Amino acid sequence: MTFAIIAAGEGSRLANEGVTAPKPLVTVGGEYLIDRLMRIFMQNGATDILVLCNNIKTEVSRHLVEVQNEGLHGRPLPLRFYIKTTPSSMHSFYELSRHIDSEKFILTTVDTIFREDEFSKYVQAFRESVESGLDGLMGVTPFVDDEKPLYVGTDDDMNITGYYDEHHAGVKYVSAGIYGLTSPSLETLKRCIDKKESRMRNFQRALVAEKNKLKAWEFSKVFDIDHKSDIAKAEDFIKSPKK
């Protein structure tokens, strides 16, 4: 299965707070963020790993060249990476979509922090959901840490009913930034790009508007590395036992 990583952001908030490393090379738990994702993807049956990084922070592309040549901790990876600076995460996804040639794939941003055991259960659930005819299985969490969270409406069966910028009564989840999708979603993405839309949340809204069958899968806690203080939070989270 294909796994894809958006790693093209500039990480300006981290830089403004004194973090000199580009976001993909921020270290959490003794690993670069991007290495942590690639390792976890390999543990969950990745046959193809796609990465988009920008052309501003060349340290990231140099590191990925090393991984291609030497493997990750000595283990060869099916890694392909592309270099382009884009105006939004949705545009980054679109650039990656040109290279996705599998029926199903999982996409994340490079700074998404989650529990590894939960991610493995999510991957298995995604495989099963695609076999049952679902168009997508989207990671959600009740934990709200984002400055501008995307709220996710669900029914009693975890079918996704809508995406909202503001909290609505009865809405329990926000987007976890983990997207399990099938190839028809790429046509929706292209239509969004053609309409000159941006932001992943608008793509997700388009999926709902076009009547795609989407379900939500609950992670106990997921958050992003947006600020320097988030690095310490991530360290504590991945080391702490699951409650």
Side-chain angles (χ1 to χ4, degrees), residues 199-216:
R199 306 187 74 189
M200 283 295 290
R201 60 184 58 194
N202 291 328
F203 162 67
Q204 293 174 83
R205 290 185 178 115
L207 288 174
V208 173
E210 293 183 5
K211 308 299 182 183
N212 285 271
K213 298 177 182 177
L214 304 176
K215 277 187 176 288

Side-chain angles (χ1 to χ4, degrees), residues 66-110:
E66 290 178 4
V67 172
Q68 280 185 326
N69 292 337
E70 302 173 13
L72 183 64
H73 310 306
R75 180 182 184 180
L77 294 187
L79 170 64
R80 292 184 284 155
F81 73 91
Y82 307 92
I83 304 172
K84 186 170 184 178
T85 299
T86 61
S88 75
S89 56
M90 192 178 79
H91 286 83
S92 295
F93 177 26
Y94 179 66
E95 293 300 324
L96 284 172
S97 74
R98 301 168 186 255
H99 309 283
I100 295 174
D101 51 17
S102 57
E103 175 192 356
K104 58 183 181 293
F105 60 92
I106 291 175
L107 171 77
T108 73
T109 53
V110 74

Side-chain angles (χ1 to χ4, degrees), residues 96-243:
L96 284 172
S97 74
R98 301 168 186 255
H99 309 283
I100 295 174
D101 51 17
S102 57
E103 175 192 356
K104 58 183 181 293
F105 60 92
I106 291 175
L107 171 77
T108 73
T109 53
V110 74
D111 59 336
T112 303
I113 301 294
F114 49 76
R115 291 193 182 279
E116 294 185 35
D117 61 332
E118 290 186 349
F119 187 78
S120 295
K121 292 175 183 176
Y122 164 76
V123 173
Q124 182 58 37
F126 173 57
R127 289 192 172 103
E128 293 171 357
S129 69
V130 171
E131 292 176 2
S132 68
L134 211 64
D135 296 311
L137 187 67
M138 313 297 259
V140 298
T141 177
F143 177 73
V144 182
D145 186 58
D146 200 290
E147 294 169 356
K148 295 182 180 179
L150 177 62
Y151 294 92
V152 184
T154 56
D155 64 16
D156 292 341
D157 295 319
M158 295 295 279
N159 295 299
I160 294 177
T161 57
Y163 289 95
Y164 314 104
D165 290 330
E166 304 293 336
H167 183 262
H168 288 213
V171 172
K172 299 184 293 184
Y173 302 111
V174 297
S175 174
I178 301 170
Y179 317 96
L181 292 164
T182 53
S183 54
S185 68
L186 301 181
E187 293 300 318
T188 300
L189 176 63
K190 186 177 186 303
R191 285 190 284 273
C192 289
I193 293 293
D194 290 342
K195 293 177 183 177
K196 301 189 183 304
E197 295 179 353
S198 63
R199 306 187 74 189
M200 283 295 290
R201 60 184 58 194
N202 291 328
F203 162 67
Q204 293 174 83
R205 290 185 178 115
L207 288 174
V208 173
E210 293 183 5
K211 308 299 182 183
N212 285 271
K213 298 177 182 177
L214 304 176
K215 277 187 176 288
W217 197 92
E218 181 180 341
F219 285 79
S220 62
K221 187 176 183 180
V222 177
F223 59 94
D224 298 332
I225 305 294
D226 292 322
H227 297 282
K228 186 176 181 179
S229 59
D230 293 332
I231 299 173
K233 287 195 300 184
E235 292 274 1
D236 291 341
F237 175 61
I238 64 176
K239 293 177 182 177
S240 64
K242 186 175 181 180
K243 297 179 180 181

Side-chain angles (χ1 to χ4, degrees), residues 9-11 14 19-27 33 57-60:
E10 295 183 27
L14 286 173
V19 178
T20 58
K23 185 181 283 190
L25 302 185
V26 166
T27 300
L33 289 174
K57 300 289 188 178
T58 57
E59 304 100 305
V60 178

